[in-house]
Amino acid sequence: GEDVEQSLFLSVREGDSSVINCTYTDSSSTYLYWYKQEPGAGLQLLTYIFSNMDMKQDQRLTVLLNKKDKHLSLRIADTQTGDSAIYFCAERKANQFYFGTGTSLTVIP
Amino acid sequence: EAEVAQSPRYKITEKSQAVAFWCDPISGHATLYWYRQILGQGPELLVQFQDESVVDDSQLPKDRFSAERLKGVDSTLKIQPAELGDSAMYLCASSLASDYTQYFGPGTRLTVL
């Protein structure tokens, strides 16, 4: 919704790093989120970043935010087969969430 | 860890029938959301409640969809009559307040035949 854009597919080999990219729409968005969705399930919150931060690290996850370009990325280190899922970025503006179309990550053993 | 509960998980119905979905948010969460997620797309907001009041239903097709949260806790989303294009995943989410992080339930997968 509201043109939050993501690439549709990404394939990586097990053990490699994955980088999922997102372009959002509004530089005034306060928080940006990454959610994970496994087949047939709801969305699981992975991490979020406040708009005045450039980077946030949480175990294997690193979020980078380039506010000037309105670009958000999620790096997953040492990607495992259990990381195979669809990843959604979302921006929060005016207390509403707008989600991207999702990136389907396939991890090849 | 507290979770958002939804039921049923799956629903198959024929077009023109009525369907209802139920959501129980995380205890203490004042804000509740219903989203529709069409296959291959991200969730889109249908309705947002603050306690028992609707604060945004601008994307809710009000000719056939209705939502209520009578006591400000659990919520029901109804579709009557269902149409083929309503086949989707219906997700419920809750947050402490409207400016807080949303937590999602497992969803109800609706198939309209």
Side-chain angles (χ1 to χ4, degrees):
Chain A
E2 300 274 329
D3 296 322
V4 178
E5 296 183 347
Q6 298 180 241
S7 52
L8 290 180
F9 302 101
L10 177 65
S11 291
V12 299
R13 294 208 172 271
E14 189 175 16
D16 289 349
S17 293
S18 309
V19 179
I20 303 170
N21 294 302
C22 170
T23 303
Y24 61 100
T25 63
D26 193 335
S27 57
S28 68
S29 293
T30 52
Y31 284 89
L32 297 128
Y33 299 82
W34 284 104
Y35 285 86
K36 175 185 180 182
Q37 187 177 37
E38 298 184 15
L43 275 69
Q44 172 194 353
L45 176 67
L46 287 178
T47 188
Y48 61 91
I49 188 167
F50 188 51
S51 58
N52 69 352
M53 298 170 65
D54 298 323
M55 186 183 85
K56 180 179 180 181
Q57 187 154 2
D58 185 359
Q59 299 182 332
R60 291 191 298 123
L61 305 178
T62 303
V63 178
L64 294 178
L65 176 61
N66 181 328
K67 212 175 166 184
K68 174 177 168 292
D69 295 336
K70 291 181 278 189
H71 184 264
L72 182 72
S73 68
L74 174 69
R75 178 177 180 269
I76 306 173
D78 186 25
T79 313
Q80 302 297 307
T81 55
D83 295 325
S84 291
I86 300 176
Y87 291 79
F88 291 94
C89 67
E91 62 174 333
R92 190 177 87 196
K93 50 182 180 177
N95 292 333
Q96 287 213 1
F97 278 54
Y98 297 94
F99 289 84
T101 52
T103 298
S104 178
L105 173 64
T106 301
V107 182
I108 304 163
Chain B
E1 183 177 301
E3 295 181 342
V4 177
Q6 289 188 249
S7 68
R9 291 294 309 279
Y10 304 93
K11 180 69 178 178
I12 300 174
T13 191
E14 294 184 341
K15 63 180 182 180
S16 80
Q17 296 298 303
V19 291
F21 313 131
W22 178 78
C23 172
D24 191 13
I26 293 171
S27 178
H29 280 198
T31 310
L32 185 147
Y33 311 80
W34 283 102
Y35 287 88
R36 177 170 58 187
Q37 185 182 22
I38 295 169
L39 193 64
Q41 298 182 19
E44 292 187 321
L45 182 69
L46 290 174
V47 61
Q48 176 180 340
F49 288 92
Q50 181 66 31
D51 299 311
E52 67 276 7
S53 300
V54 173
V55 297
D56 185 349
D57 63 355
S58 56
Q59 300 303 310
L60 188 72
K62 297 182 189 63
D63 57 334
R64 297 184 301 108
F65 285 64
S66 64
E68 60 183 17
R69 192 183 185 201
L70 293 175
K71 296 182 180 178
V73 181
D74 58 338
S75 175
T76 302
L77 178 70
K78 296 179 181 176
I79 309 174
Q80 181 173 18
E83 295 181 352
L84 295 176
D86 296 332
S87 294
M89 175 81 92
Y90 290 83
L91 294 164
C92 179
S94 71
S95 61
L96 273 172
S98 60
D99 55 347
Y100 280 71
T101 299
Q102 296 184 21
Y103 295 89
F104 283 79
T108 296
R109 168 71 68 188
L110 173 66
T111 301
V112 183
L113 303 175

